[in-house]
Amino acid sequence: MQTIHRELRKMLFCLIEGIKQWEKDFTKVPDKLYKGHMLFIKHKAMADSNIPNNLFDLIKTLKKPSYKWGIPQLDCLFSSEAALIEPGYGLTIEADDFMEAYQSLDEADQSVMRKILVLCRVQQLDKEYRFIRTFLSKSENAVIDSFSLNRHLHFHLENSELKELVFQCYEELPESIDNYKECPHCGWTLQFRNGKWSCNKENVCRFIESFEDVANFQYQESEKIYRMTSGIQRYILLPGIQEINYANRLEKQGYKVETYPEVDMYDIRVETQRDIIDLDIKDYRSASILSDYFNQLPINQLEKYHANSFIIIPSYRLKISPAFIDLVNSKLDKNVKEYIRIFSENQMMKRLKEEK
Ligand SMILES: [Zn+2]
């Protein structure tokens, strides 16, 4: 079973990466897409004879929820209700989440955040790393004029390579500022789609703040305005807002709190009278993707989750899907369960109080 799972992860990885490359240049089929297609055929052939033997049929299949693909074991590692491609949008949120879960493990990952992390670890820039993560976790920095961005970075970061990498977390606004509104939750650019304002792909912000009266940005058309890239908004800013809020909540309760200790070994470290407790906040839409993320961690990475470390699921996630924690737990492998303990924000608060 382990080998099949490994191959299916590889298949999803190749398909998603291949589609990404293909979107940029439709004139040639990327190697990755070909490889993903071949793996798809192999596993489909094991299940039944209805095989998508050309790209057209493959894409048609990938637009359907994954439980309809006819590869039953996929259920363990990908959301069965989710497709890989959504017509009109491109890759689905689950496809993005899957890649994000993978990339954090991939030593060859070339993402900007990875480069920042590696540089800070090698040069032991603990303070700088904390500044960058905190800066990218503030809604007021989601959209920013170039003057302020420069000023902040020059003031807090001496290392020019690091400064350049933070600039890469931003892009110039693709359209005129007048085409956007300001997200009341994360501060990023809302766009008008299908008759309503929405914030990036998943649009979870609307579950957290009301979108009834969204405001314009207060910038002049003539100013040079930047926003965080879509990936930074989704995988750094949104979880970052949760992390910082939770850290603040803990501090208000009188705990000594450190964010991103040991250059991001954990998200939050809490010191109680008796213990040091480490927390990682995980914000995924699909329980299967999160549980599989843990299931495929090598043992040396699972070991970072010591007896006093916990996974926290943000409250709003549980509001959207109350059974989320039970679902993840039910899909964890037996040996993984020894390391991974999952709590809601409130359960963790309660536990800490009992320790006091
Ligand atoms: Zn938002």
Side-chain angles (χ1 to χ4, degrees), residues 143-308:
V143 174
I144 191 168
D145 64 279
S146 88
F147 178 76
S148 307
L149 182 60
N150 271 295
R151 193 169 42 99
H152 280 296
L153 300 189
H154 287 301
F155 190 72
H156 291 279
L157 298 173
E158 276 178 16
N159 186 308
S160 56
E161 201 182 337
L162 215 44
K163 240 182 282 182
E164 179 47 41
L165 287 169
V166 180
F167 277 120
Q168 287 176 29
C169 296
Y170 283 87
E171 62 183 11
E172 256 187 79
L173 283 190
E175 293 172 31
S176 149
I177 188 96
D178 300 336
N179 291 349
Y180 303 105
K181 300 261 188 197
E182 185 174 357
C183 176
H185 172 61
C186 77
W188 209 63
T189 46
L190 298 183
Q191 264 180 299
F192 204 65
R193 279 200 210 114
N194 302 329
K196 56 179 198 275
W197 291 98
S198 74
C199 186
N200 214 348
K201 243 189 209 178
E202 190 182 3
N203 199 15
V204 282
C205 298
R206 75 185 194 283
F207 292 108
I208 307 170
E209 292 288 340
S210 160
F211 274 20
E212 292 242 318
D213 287 310
V214 286
N216 292 318
F217 283 100
Q218 299 298 317
Y219 293 109
Q220 304 299 324
E221 176 87 63
S222 56
E223 285 177 285
K224 204 169 185 187
I225 311 297
Y226 288 87
R227 71 171 180 187
M228 290 177 192
T229 60
S230 157
I232 294 290
Q233 187 270 354
R234 170 69 186 86
Y235 294 107
I236 304 296
L237 174 66
L238 288 186
I241 291 174
Q242 305 296 324
E243 287 150 15
I244 304 290
N245 281 348
Y246 198 53
N248 289 341
R249 249 181 94 186
L250 289 162
E251 246 172 4
K252 270 196 196 125
Q253 295 291 320
Y255 300 107
K256 195 170 166 232
V257 174
E258 188 185 2
T259 48
Y260 316 113
E262 297 174 52
V263 197
D264 209 23
M265 186 62 123
Y266 304 94
D267 292 333
I268 299 174
R269 175 164 286 169
V270 191
E271 268 183 54
T272 67
Q273 304 242 327
R274 272 187 291 163
D275 289 312
I276 287 184
I277 292 170
D278 287 318
L279 309 175
D280 263 352
I281 297 191
K282 292 282 178 212
D283 188 15
Y284 284 69
R285 181 151 90 160
S286 154
S288 308
I289 295 176
L290 180 57
S291 56
D292 191 57
Y293 164 76
F294 292 123
N295 285 341
Q296 46 98 54
L297 281 180
I299 193 84
N300 63 348
Q301 294 202 38
L302 276 172
E303 278 169 351
K304 94 167 204 187
Y305 294 109
H306 54 84
N308 272 326

